[in-house]
Amino acid sequence: MIVIAQIAALIAAAVHLLAFVWESVVFPRPSVHERLFRIPTSDVPAVRLWAFNVGFYNLFLGSGAVAGVVLWWAGSDTAGRTLVIYTCIFMFLAGIALAVSDRMALSRPRGSGVAGALSQSTPPLVALVALAIG
């Protein structure tokens, strides 16, 4: 189960590192802000700082999960496991927050953030369950 937890944590990290790229690096591209985030080009200047900042939260979470797995593999079991658990709990709860905020959104079609919430919260949940079981 530990290997499953580590793989799931690395998948969760990859999701968050990709989100960093989308939010902080390529957000101004219409293919990203319009198609992925459903933000009209006219609104990009108003939300650019927000997206940039949220991207860095994702970078730090993803990097933390990777660092935890690397520490774990290097023999620092307690530190690595603790970092993986912390970042996975954080990622899972952030996915729940995204799902809740999507349900409350009035300015866009309901359900448009569900895929993002599932992709953000499922891999860390798998990691946490695998750790709890085994």
Side-chain angles (χ1 to χ4, degrees):
M1 281 295 168
I2 289 174
V3 172
I4 291 171
Q6 292 172 340
I7 291 169
L10 291 174
I11 291 169
V15 168
H16 283 76
L17 294 172
L18 180 60
F20 159 73
V21 172
W22 286 337
E23 294 165 341
S24 296
V25 179
V26 296
F27 185 79
R29 295 181 187 173
S31 62
V32 175
H33 67 261
E34 287 181 351
R35 291 186 198 141
L36 187 61
F37 294 107
R38 295 188 173 100
I39 295 174
T41 300
S42 61
D43 291 344
V44 168
V47 299
R48 178 71 180 114
L49 181 60
W50 157 80
F52 186 79
N53 191 38
V54 171
F56 274 88
Y57 277 87
N58 285 313
L59 172 67
F60 301 144
L61 278 172
S63 298
V66 170
V69 171
V70 169
L71 282 170
W72 206 341
W73 288 344
S76 297
D77 292 356
T78 302
R81 187 183 191 108
T82 301
L83 191 51
V84 166
I85 290 170
Y86 173 76
T87 56
C88 284
I89 289 171
F90 195 119
M91 288 186 248
F92 173 70
L93 293 176
I96 299 300
L98 179 59
V100 169
S101 66
D102 180 66
R103 300 290 298 160
M104 297 180 340
L106 300 175
S107 62
R108 58 191 183 133
R110 195 174 258 201
S112 58
V114 172
L118 285 174
S119 66
Q120 180 175 342
S121 60
T122 302
L125 178 60
V126 169
L128 292 168
V129 169
L131 286 171
I133 292 173

